[in-house]
């Protein structure tokens, strides 16, 4: 009985997520490596493709995650460069304003006499919109099922 009341709302939400998924993507942020040796240069953009112009950037060295190694702002094209002084995993934060924040790690390795080189570290769940939508739909169905189960259990007692 309860399932008949909830099912139309769940279907409505699922259809809305699939039809208007591109609107939700406009709030995401991403980055692209431009140059990795010796200067690290990256471009930060919103998922709509618009650059994060003049976004605040904080760079944290591998040995100090509390005090930034360098800070600054991206240029009008969303580009920022820095020169790491040691190998390790560097944490980078870019704030695009209005709650949009990009946080990623770069693995900087020592290449000998050529200096340091960056290797992009991937986060498989961060960039996959399809997985995030499926997880959201699964959460909705699980919450509806839990509510239905608990209500049925209360009626039985």
């Amino acid at each position: 009985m309860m399932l008949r009341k909830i099912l139309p709302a769940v279907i409505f939400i699922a259809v809305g997520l699939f039809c208007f998924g591109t609107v939700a993507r406009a709030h995401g942020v991403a980055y692209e490596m431009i140059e990795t040796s010796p200067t690290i240069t990256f471009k930060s953009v919103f998922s709509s493709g618009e650059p994060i112009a003049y976004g605040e950037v904080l760079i944290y060295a591998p040995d100090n995650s509390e005090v930034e190694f360098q800070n600054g702002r991206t240029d009008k094209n969303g580009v920022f460069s820095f020169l790491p002084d040691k190998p390790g995993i560097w944490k980078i934060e870019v704030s695009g304003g209005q709650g949009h924040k990009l946080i990623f790690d770069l693995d900087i390795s020592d290449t000998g006499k050529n200096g340091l080189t960056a290797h992009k570290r991937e986060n498989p769940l961060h960039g996959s919109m399809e997985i995030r939508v499926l997880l959201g739909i699964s959460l909705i169905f699980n919450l509806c099922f839990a509510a239905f189960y608990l209500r049925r259990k209360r009626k039985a007692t």
Side-chain angles (χ1 to χ4, degrees):
M1 184 71 148
M2 181 69 169
L3 187 60
R4 288 184 199 159
K5 292 180 181 178
I6 294 176
L7 191 59
V10 171
I11 291 172
F12 180 74
I13 291 170
V15 169
L17 285 173
F18 285 116
C19 292
F20 301 108
T22 56
V23 174
R25 289 183 193 183
H27 293 288
V29 289
Y31 71 99
E32 171 188 1
M33 297 303 296
I34 296 174
E35 184 179 340
T36 59
S37 181
T39 303
I40 308 302
T41 304
F42 61 90
K43 180 178 183 177
S44 54
V45 295
F46 295 106
S47 56
S48 64
E50 180 184 347
I52 300 177
Y54 310 110
E56 181 182 4
V57 180
L58 301 174
I59 309 287
Y60 295 94
D63 58 353
N64 191 348
S65 62
E66 293 183 18
V67 178
E68 64 264 11
F69 170 79
Q70 181 177 343
N71 59 36
R73 295 203 173 268
T74 61
D75 66 8
K76 70 177 182 175
N77 298 315
V79 177
F80 188 83
S81 296
F82 74 101
L83 185 62
D85 62 350
K86 64 181 103 180
I89 298 174
W90 291 69
K91 181 179 174 184
I92 299 165
E93 295 181 11
V94 181
S95 177
Q98 299 177 350
H100 297 102
K101 193 169 206 178
L102 172 64
I103 300 174
F104 62 96
D105 293 335
L106 283 178
D107 186 6
I108 308 293
S109 61
D110 194 356
T111 60
K113 62 182 176 179
N114 290 339
L116 302 171
T117 302
H119 304 283
K120 186 176 178 180
R121 296 183 55 165
E122 294 293 335
N123 181 354
L125 286 178
H126 180 69
S128 176
M129 186 62 164
E130 292 79 17
I131 289 175
R132 292 162 77 186
V133 168
L134 288 175
L135 287 173
I137 292 171
S138 172
L139 176 66
I140 291 168
F141 277 111
N142 285 317
L143 289 174
C144 291
F145 178 74
F148 175 74
Y149 176 75
L150 291 173
R151 180 166 279 180
R152 187 166 217 187
K153 190 173 179 179
R154 282 186 198 156
K155 285 184 181 180
T157 57

